[in-house]
């Protein structure tokens, strides 16, 4: 009898090219995604060693991090950003890599367009010089972020040296209540295990709640696996996955589709397979979540008070909490509900897909953005933008007084001019609330698109359920 | 020849947990196309006032810690983004090792590829080191990769774990890419097995 294997182990085993005793495995990479910020030095390295790209058809590039969202061709005089974008164009031309560039209708945030184009498929190994590559794990791929040196390794050899990580089952059971979304599941997990809780592991999300989620919701969850320290998060492919992929530009077609489907059906974790760790989350008990601190593990239910450092025993943990509250200018025990905010950002590779925009629009429709709030809606890709406009979502946002933008990373990372001013509070659907992440001195509350939209129309942190019951 | 000989250095204590790569090097400094020069922006928002003048209270601006080659950080150092600019900035500034109770995976990989030693210690050693450097800022630690130890000023040695492959790369002055390129034949065979020949 063969040993029962997890989804992760099956994908891993199928990609080990070679492994010498005691040494890391040589792992084959099926799909390599590139963007302008983490690739220039990798291409310079190739040039310095006089190396070519080994398998050009496995690499795809886009421009997302520093691209302006007002109009893609106006860099606002940012010469550095312009040079970086131009360099990616030159590198892709010189090395023969397909680029979805500034004027491409298929351009968008790298983790939004991969799935959208059908590039992301079950059982693949996928890497990108970007930690949120974990997003693609929603399809049952092993997808993880790498550094720039490793980008160079993949370009040159289509392989990476990797130690095998451990497995960590995150089982989510039950039914989500109204107003509670995939984002709340992942924020709840992070608040439970902390931002280092998954270090050295690959998450596999299992359970009835996960099975009931759409692909876009699954992507939201896998996206933030890295926020728990896990480089990758995976979900076994099922009919929902196959339906999503079918017919996409790069999806297998005809007879090849059936061959792939057969293989994909063999990927889910075998009965009796063992994980190194596991945790269970009761979806029935979840409420809308929000972060109060300066890392994504500092989350609470939106109705709960901010924790009090006085109750923290470990001195380093206590000073971390104190430091966070000082940065956020929050008092221990303070309630967040009713707190005035300045900016709402709906976007990023976590929550900028069409279903996210629909959720936000459902709250904003017929209401106005509060006068004290600047609301920015940034679709994840040009395709999402077109779809939203076809559905009239852009009009809902614009009529309410929100800004409707071109696609890009935008205020998630504040490299393109979209940023918070020092001291401003934002409710953001992105994934990181680190100090200064959305602009120097800016303060971020992470939440779902529903909670962000609720904050936009009330001007304060709000329990979105009170608006949904209207 | 040992490419990573033993070295002794003072320690800069930055006893904050979960220092993320956005703090190590904020995103606005990532619009570069080479690796050099990032040391000037290391910990920029903690190190400098908005007008660019140094914040006197920040550890790297204190005279007794200037020129330290070892950073003593809180738990879970280097979490967040995959930016290799983080080790580039630390190395560019002059750090050769970071000591913590744990490191984020991607940061650790990136550090080892740039000859920056991520030294993991247990909480009791961490506490001892913190007390030591806070009481006596000029104290030096001697770090030896070959024996995977550092020597405390009281003469005691502490052993630290390090990935065996990364260690031999650092000691021999080789890198991952050189190693990977030796497997050309196996990679080709693997590709033939997966995609057939002549594709
Ligand atoms: S949207 Fe934010 S987290 Fe996602 S790839 Fe862009 S910068 Fe990174």
């Amino acid at each position: 009898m063969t040993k029962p294997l997890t989804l992760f182990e099956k994908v891993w085993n199928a990609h080990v090219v070679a492994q010498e005793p005691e040494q890391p495995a040589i792992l084959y990479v099926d799909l390599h995604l590139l963007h302008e910020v983490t690739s220039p030095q990798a291409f310079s390295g190739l040039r310095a060693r006089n190396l070519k790209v080994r398998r050009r058809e496995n690499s795809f590039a886009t421009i997302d991090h520093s691209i302006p969202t007002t109009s893609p061709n106006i860099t606002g005089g940012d010469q550095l950003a312009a040079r970086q974008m131009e360099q990616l164009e030159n590198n892709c031309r010189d090395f023969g890599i397909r680029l979805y560039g500034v004027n491409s209708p298929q351009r968008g945030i790298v983790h939004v367009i991969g799935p959208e184009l059908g590039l992301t498929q079950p059982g693949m190994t996928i890497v990108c010089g970007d930690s949120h590559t974990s997003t693609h794990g929603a399809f049952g791929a092993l997808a993880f972020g790498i550094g720039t040196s490793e980008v160079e390794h993949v370009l040159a050899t289509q392989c990476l040296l990797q130690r095998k990580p451990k497995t960590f089952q995150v089982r989510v059971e039950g039914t989500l209540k109204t107003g509670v979304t995939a984002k709340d599941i992942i924020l709840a997990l992070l608040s439970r295990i902390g931002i280092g809780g998954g270090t050295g592991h690959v998450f596999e999300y299992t359970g009835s709640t996960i099975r009931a989620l759409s692909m876009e919701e699954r992507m939201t969850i896998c996206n933030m696996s890295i926020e728990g320290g896990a480089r990758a998060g995976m979900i076994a492919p099922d009919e929902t996955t196959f339906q999503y992929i079918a017919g996409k530009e790069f999806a297998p077609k005809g007879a090849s589709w059936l061959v792939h489907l057969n293989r994909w059906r063999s990927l889910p974790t075998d009965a009796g397979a063992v994980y190194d760790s596991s945790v269970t989350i009761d979806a029935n008990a979840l409420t809308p979540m929000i972060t109060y601190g300066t890392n994504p593990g500092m989350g609470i239910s939106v109705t709960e008070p901010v924790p009090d450092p006085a109750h923290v025993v470990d001195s380093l943990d206590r000073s971390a909490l104190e430091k966070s509250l000082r940065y956020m200018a929050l008092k221990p025990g303070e309630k967040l509900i009713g707190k005035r905010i300045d900016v709402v950002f709906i976007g990023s590779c976590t929550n900028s897909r069409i279903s996210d925009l629909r959720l936000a629009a459902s709250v904003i429709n017929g209401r106005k953005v509060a006068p004290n709030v600047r609301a920015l809606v940034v679709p994840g890709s040009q395709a999402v933008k077109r779809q939203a406009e076809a559905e009239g979502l852009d009009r809902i946002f614009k009529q309410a007084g929100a800004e409707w933008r071109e696609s890009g990373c935008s205020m998630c990372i504040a490299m393109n001019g979209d940023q918070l001013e020092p001291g401003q509070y934002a409710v953001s659907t992105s994934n990181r609330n680190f100090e200064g992440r959305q602009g120097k001195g800016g303060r971020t509350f992470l939440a779902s698109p529903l909670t962000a939209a609720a904050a936009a129309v009330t001007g304060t942190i709000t329990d979105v359920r009170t608006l949904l019951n209207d | 020849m040992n490419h990573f000989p033993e070295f002794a250095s003072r320690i800069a204590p930055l006893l904050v947990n979960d220092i993320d790569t956005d703090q190590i090097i904020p995103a606005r400094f990532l619009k570069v196309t080479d690796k050099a020069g990032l040391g000037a922006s290391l910990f920029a928002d903690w190190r400098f006032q908005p007008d660019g003048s140094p914040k006197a209270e920040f550890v790297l601006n204190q005279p007794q810690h200037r020129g330290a080659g070892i950073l003593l950080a809180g738990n879970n150092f280097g979490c967040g983004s995959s930016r290799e600019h983080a080790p580039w900035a630390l190395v560019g500034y002059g750090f050769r090792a970071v000591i913590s109770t744990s490191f984020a995976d991607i940061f650790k990989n990136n550090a080892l590829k740039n000859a920056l030693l991520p030294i993991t210690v247990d909480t009791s050693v961490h506490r001892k080191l913190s007390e030591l450097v806070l009481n006596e800022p000029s104290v030096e630690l001697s770090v030896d990769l070959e024996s995977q130890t550092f020597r405390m000023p009281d003469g005691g040695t502490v052993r630290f774990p390090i990935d065996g492959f990364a260690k031999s790369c650092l000691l021999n002055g080789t890198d991952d890419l050189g190693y990977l390129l030796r497997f050309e034949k196996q990679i080709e065979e693997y590709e033939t097995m997966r995609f057939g020949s002549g594709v």
Side-chain angles (χ1 to χ4, degrees), chain A residues 35 64-66 109-112 128-133 135 223 226-227 345 347-352 380 408-415 430-432 437, chain B residues 27 81 83:
Chain A
H35 63 73
D64 52 5
H65 280 63
S66 40
I109 303 174
V110 63
H111 310 307
V112 175
C128 173
D130 194 287
S131 60
H132 291 101
T133 308
T135 312
N223 173 274
I226 181 68
E227 261 55 72
F345 172 64
S348 91
C349 57
T350 313
N351 281 127
S352 64
C409 294
S410 181
M411 207 186 267
C412 172
I413 191 162
M415 284 184 76
S430 55
N431 43 55
R432 286 185 176 144
R437 168 78 178 192
Chain B
S81 131
R83 62 189 71 164

Side-chain angles (χ1 to χ4, degrees), chain A residues 194-252:
Chain A
I195 57 166
T199 302
H201 292 77
V202 166
F203 290 145
E204 183 184 338
Y205 301 96
T206 65
S208 59
T209 320
I210 301 293
R211 294 267 70 90
L213 296 177
S214 71
M215 284 319 293
E216 299 196 349
E217 293 170 313
R218 294 178 189 184
M219 285 188 249
T220 296
I221 292 183
C222 288
N223 173 274
M224 289 186 76
S225 301
I226 181 68
E227 261 55 72
R231 287 179 76 182
M234 305 174 79
I235 293 175
D238 58 12
E239 293 311 312
T240 306
T241 321
F242 309 145
Q243 262 175 36
Y244 177 98
I245 299 171
K248 297 255 186 299
E249 184 178 343
F250 288 90

Side-chain angles (χ1 to χ4, degrees), chain A residues 391-444:
Chain A
E391 295 178 20
L393 303 184
D394 60 319
R395 266 175 290 129
I396 295 177
F397 293 126
K398 284 189 281 195
Q399 276 164 12
E403 298 172 42
W404 175 247
R405 294 294 187 87
E406 302 287 324
S407 68
C409 294
S410 181
M411 207 186 267
C412 172
I413 191 162
M415 284 184 76
N416 74 335
D418 299 338
Q419 62 188 64
L420 298 179
E421 299 301 321
Q424 279 189 326
Y425 283 110
V427 177
S428 173
T429 66
S430 55
N431 43 55
R432 286 185 176 144
N433 50 353
F434 297 145
E435 290 183 27
R437 168 78 178 192
Q438 295 198 278
K440 196 171 166 175
R443 298 168 176 144
T444 302

Side-chain angles (χ1 to χ4, degrees), chain A residues 16 55 70 185-186 203 309 349 369 394 436 442:
Chain A
V16 175
R55 204 178 162 87
T70 37
I185 297 178
I186 188 68
F203 290 145
C349 57
V369 171
D394 60 319

Side-chain angles (χ1 to χ4, degrees), chain B residues 160-182:
Chain B
F160 57 86
I162 200 109
D163 181 87
F165 178 80
K167 176 180 170 180
S168 71
C169 283
L170 290 171
L171 291 175
N172 300 325
T174 55
D175 70 358
D176 291 31
L177 187 47
Y179 180 84
L180 278 168
L181 288 167
R182 295 201 340 244

Side-chain angles (χ1 to χ4, degrees), chain B residues 16-64:
Chain B
V16 177
N17 281 351
D18 305 315
I19 296 176
D20 59 82
T21 54
D22 274 273
Q23 306 318 311
I24 300 172
I25 181 92
R28 62 182 183 279
F29 300 110
L30 306 186
K31 296 173 195 165
V32 292
T33 48
D34 54 26
K35 305 176 184 180
L38 289 165
S41 314
L42 177 70
F43 294 119
D45 291 346
W46 289 356
R47 195 166 140 207
F48 302 112
Q49 306 281 4
D51 69 359
S53 62
K55 289 185 183 170
E57 71 280 10
F58 186 65
V59 59
L60 300 187
N61 296 326
Q62 294 168 352
Q64 68 271 33

Side-chain angles (χ1 to χ4, degrees), chain A residues 308-387:
Chain A
D308 187 344
H311 301 145
V312 180
V313 184
D314 180 83
S315 70
L316 270 181
D317 288 344
R318 184 168 56 244
S319 66
L321 180 54
E322 285 165 352
K323 187 173 189 295
S324 280
L325 296 188
R326 218 177 308 126
Y327 183 84
M328 293 295 290
L330 293 173
K331 287 187 272 309
E334 181 176 347
K335 283 243 175 191
L336 291 180
I337 294 274
K339 176 124 196 122
R340 258 174 88 92
I341 52 115
D342 309 292
V343 175
V344 166
F345 172 64
I346 295 169
S348 91
C349 57
T350 313
N351 281 127
S352 64
R353 297 179 181 82
I354 189 67
S355 57
D356 299 312
L357 302 188
R358 286 182 193 136
L359 281 180
S362 73
V363 174
I364 290 178
N365 194 9
R367 296 186 167 103
K368 287 269 178 243
V369 171
N372 59 308
V373 170
R374 174 188 181 206
L376 205 63
V377 186
V378 185
S381 69
Q382 295 306 93
V384 171
K385 178 167 188 266
R386 283 190 299 276
Q387 177 65 29

